Structures are given as C-alpha cells and as structure tokens.
Amino acid sequence: MNFKELLNFLRLCWLRVKFKLVFLIILSFFSSVFELLGFGMIIPLITYTVSEGSQSNSFLEYFEIFLNYFSFPKSLEFLLLLTAIIFLLKNIAVFFVDTFTIWITSGVRLDIQKKIVHLYQKVDFTYFVSKKIGEHINILVRESERYQSSINNLIKGTISILSVIVFLITLSVVDIHIVAFIFFSFSIFFFIFLPIFRKTKEYSFKNASLYSDLNNQLIELVQSFAYLKGTNRLSDHTQIIVKISKNLVYIVRRLNIFSNLLTFIKEPIGILILVTIIYYKVILNGESLTEVVVIGLILYRLAQKTIDITVIPLTENQSSN
C-alpha cells in the first residue's frame, strides 16, 4: 500500500467510524499514561523500601510533592495499593478500548452488508448475470469481513502510534539520546523487513483472487453436480478445486509466517533493549539501577508497540486489496 492508497483508505475509514475513533484515542491516551505511571512507581517502591531515600531523581521529587500535597503516607502498604490502582485503571481503559473496537468494527461490517444488499435491488440484470455466483457471495461475505479487518487494523495502528508518541515524549524528557538511538535502530529494522512487506502485498492479491475462484468452483460443484456427474466431468472439476485449495493454503501459510515472524521477535527485541540499556547505563556509566530499570521497561514497551505498528501493514495487505 503506497502513500496515496493509504490516504484514500484512511479517508474511507473515517467516513465509517468518524468521531468514535476520537473517543478510542482518548481512552488509549489514558491507558498509556497509566502504564507510564505504573512503571514510574517502581522508583519509590525500591527507594523507600531498600535505599531509604538516599537516591533522588525528577520522578521521585514530583512524587514526594504529590504525597505531601495530599498528606499521603510514605509507607510500603500505600505504595503497593497505589501501584495496584494505577495498573487497574490502565487495564480498565484497555478493556473499554477493546470492547468499543469490537462494537465499532462489527457495526461497520453490518452496515456494509446492508448497503450491498440494498444495492442489489438497483443493479442492472445484465451485470448481475455476467458475474458468477461465487463472486457475488465473495462480495457479500468475504469482502465485508476484509473491510471489517481493515477498520480493526486502522484502530490498532492508531492506538499503537499514540502509545509510541506518549512513550517517546516521556523518554525525550529523561534522555534525548535514547530517542535518537531508537529512531536509528528502528529505521534499520524497517529496511531489513521491507522485502517482507512487498512480498505480502503480492501474496494478498493472489489470496483474494484464489478465494473468489474457489467460491465459484464450489458453487458450480453444488449447482451442477448432476450435470458434472452425468458428463463424467466430476473428477476433473474436483481436481481443479483441489489445485486451487492447495495454492490458497500455500499463500495463506506464507502470509501467516511473515506476520508471525514479527510477532515472534517482538519480545526478544524488547528484552535485548532492556538488557542493553541496563548494561550501558548501570555497568558502564554507573547510573542508578532503579531509574534505569524504569527507562528500560518503557523502552521495552516502546519496542513492542513499534513492532505492532510494523505488523499492521502485513495484516492490512491481506485485508484491504
């Protein structure tokens, strides 16, 4: 999908979801903020229980101002309770985002199918008979599902991009050099996997074509079974179906392998980043382990969200042709 196609796709999706997407973005923003606060709670938890306040950093200073302003105790019990509440709020926000996403995408699919059915009432008869039954069924069922998947990919991509922006802004405040390193690393990562993106686009077109051909052949088998049997052509027809099915399985397997590859490397890359940042800042530079662990966790989540965005073109190529 090139830039022009992407803009057309975004414009088309916006006509379907409109301001529902804005509501999802707001919920996702709060989810990301709560996640950052939860990671940040590691600092006072370790500082107050292990180092007894001997270390100082910006987050800890602001956190102490917050405690003093509301006269909250600096006890371990309160810190654990506050951490649990923050992550609970984060997961509540995620739950509403996922639930609302399902509601939006299923509603879009229903609207598309209703409009297609109504359009069939106005379609020219000669056009209708010029198409095979399998093509009509493919439009009503398969293409509606693909459009629903496209909307779902758009929502997931928007949420992941928002999370990445929130995490990058936070890291830029802490250490701008880390942000520069991230851009450099993921630029290399993108170009390494660029051939996979191109290959999935090629496979996705074949996937759509094969699905349509398979539907046509299956419907013809059912409708013309007596004729095929009587003319001794049933064996040839079933061989065609088997051949199309094998080609379709081959394409689907390749598409899923490419998608699973990026999903598989998501966690190892995140762990590698976490270990690298701890080694560089703590062992080589002698910085505080507590603060570096928090930065490392944010980098870990940032890597996962970035790879989620990278996976979306793979799934989108399968659903938007």
Side-chain angles (χ1 to χ4, degrees), residues 41 103 115 121 183 190 203 212 260:
M41 286 300 298
W103 181 74
K115 289 184 179 181
Q121 299 176 5
F183 277 112
F190 175 79
Y203 281 155
S212 179
N260 290 339

Side-chain angles (χ1 to χ4, degrees), residues 113-167:
Q113 289 180 326
K114 287 167 58 178
K115 289 184 179 181
I116 292 176
V117 171
H118 290 154
L119 286 174
Y120 268 109
Q121 299 176 5
K122 304 176 182 179
V123 73
D124 184 72
F125 181 75
T126 56
Y127 171 80
F128 180 83
V129 298
S130 67
K131 301 294 182 180
K132 295 182 179 180
I133 296 178
E135 295 180 20
H136 292 298
I137 294 178
N138 189 59
I139 292 175
L140 282 168
V141 180
R142 175 66 179 170
E143 297 306 318
S144 299
E145 291 177 352
R146 285 152 63 86
Y147 190 83
Q148 178 184 3
S149 178
S150 296
I151 297 293
N152 189 55
N153 290 334
L154 169 67
I155 293 173
K156 287 182 178 179
T158 303
I159 292 172
S160 295
I161 290 173
L162 177 64
S163 298
V164 167
I165 292 174
V166 173
F167 291 159

Side-chain angles (χ1 to χ4, degrees), residues 48 58-71 74:
Y48 292 153
S58 299
F59 182 86
L60 193 58
E61 291 174 0
Y62 285 116
F63 183 72
E64 289 183 345
I65 293 174
F66 165 77
L67 293 179
N68 294 332
Y69 182 81
F70 291 100
S71 299
K74 296 182 181 180

Side-chain angles (χ1 to χ4, degrees), residues 31-255:
S31 172
S32 299
V33 171
F34 286 137
E35 187 171 14
L36 284 173
L37 290 175
F39 289 154
M41 286 300 298
I42 295 176
I43 296 177
L45 278 171
I46 296 178
T47 301
Y48 292 153
T49 58
V50 178
S51 57
E52 302 295 339
S54 59
Q55 300 176 6
S56 178
N57 54 65
S58 299
F59 182 86
L60 193 58
E61 291 174 0
Y62 285 116
F63 183 72
E64 289 183 345
I65 293 174
F66 165 77
L67 293 179
N68 294 332
Y69 182 81
F70 291 100
S71 299
F72 288 142
K74 296 182 181 180
S75 63
L76 177 61
E77 291 81 0
F78 175 76
L79 295 178
L80 291 173
L81 177 62
L82 183 59
T83 303
I85 291 174
I86 289 174
F87 277 105
L88 177 63
L89 291 174
K90 179 254 182 182
N91 283 281
I92 290 175
V94 171
F95 170 78
F96 280 113
V97 168
D98 292 343
T99 302
F100 200 50
T101 299
I102 295 172
W103 181 74
I104 292 174
T105 55
S106 58
V108 167
R109 178 181 174 182
L110 176 62
D111 290 341
I112 291 294
Q113 289 180 326
K114 287 167 58 178
K115 289 184 179 181
I116 292 176
V117 171
H118 290 154
L119 286 174
Y120 268 109
Q121 299 176 5
K122 304 176 182 179
V123 73
D124 184 72
F125 181 75
T126 56
Y127 171 80
F128 180 83
V129 298
S130 67
K131 301 294 182 180
K132 295 182 179 180
I133 296 178
E135 295 180 20
H136 292 298
I137 294 178
N138 189 59
I139 292 175
L140 282 168
V141 180
R142 175 66 179 170
E143 297 306 318
S144 299
E145 291 177 352
R146 285 152 63 86
Y147 190 83
Q148 178 184 3
S149 178
S150 296
I151 297 293
N152 189 55
N153 290 334
L154 169 67
I155 293 173
K156 287 182 178 179
T158 303
I159 292 172
S160 295
I161 290 173
L162 177 64
S163 298
V164 167
I165 292 174
V166 173
F167 291 159
L168 283 175
I169 292 175
T170 303
L171 288 174
S172 64
V173 173
V174 176
D175 191 341
I176 192 64
H177 298 96
I178 295 179
V179 177
F181 173 75
I182 291 172
F183 277 112
F184 176 75
S185 300
F186 282 103
S187 297
I188 296 176
F189 173 81
F190 175 79
F191 283 108
I192 290 176
F193 285 91
L194 187 59
I196 294 181
F197 302 148
R198 292 173 177 171
K199 200 65 178 178
T200 53
K201 184 175 183 178
E202 175 187 343
Y203 281 155
S204 60
F205 279 108
K206 293 180 181 179
N207 183 54
S209 176
L210 288 171
Y211 261 112
S212 179
D213 292 342
L214 182 61
N215 282 336
N216 289 331
Q217 296 299 327
L218 290 174
I219 291 172
E220 185 177 349
L221 173 66
V222 175
Q223 289 185 332
S224 307
F225 180 81
Y227 171 78
L228 294 172
K229 186 74 171 178
T231 57
N232 201 28
R233 294 175 55 190
L234 184 60
S235 177
D236 294 338
H237 193 80
T238 53
Q239 288 180 7
I240 293 174
I241 292 176
V242 171
K243 183 179 179 180
I244 295 175
S245 299
K246 287 182 178 179
N247 291 334
L248 185 60
V249 168
Y250 174 84
I251 296 297
V252 170
R253 283 175 176 172
R254 294 302 180 276
L255 287 171

Side-chain angles (χ1 to χ4, degrees), residues 2 9-10 19 47 73 84 90 123 167 190 280 297 317 320:
N2 57 40
F9 168 69
L10 293 175
F19 293 102
T47 301
K90 179 254 182 182
V123 73
F167 291 159
F190 175 79
Y280 176 76
L297 288 173
N317 279 335
S320 62

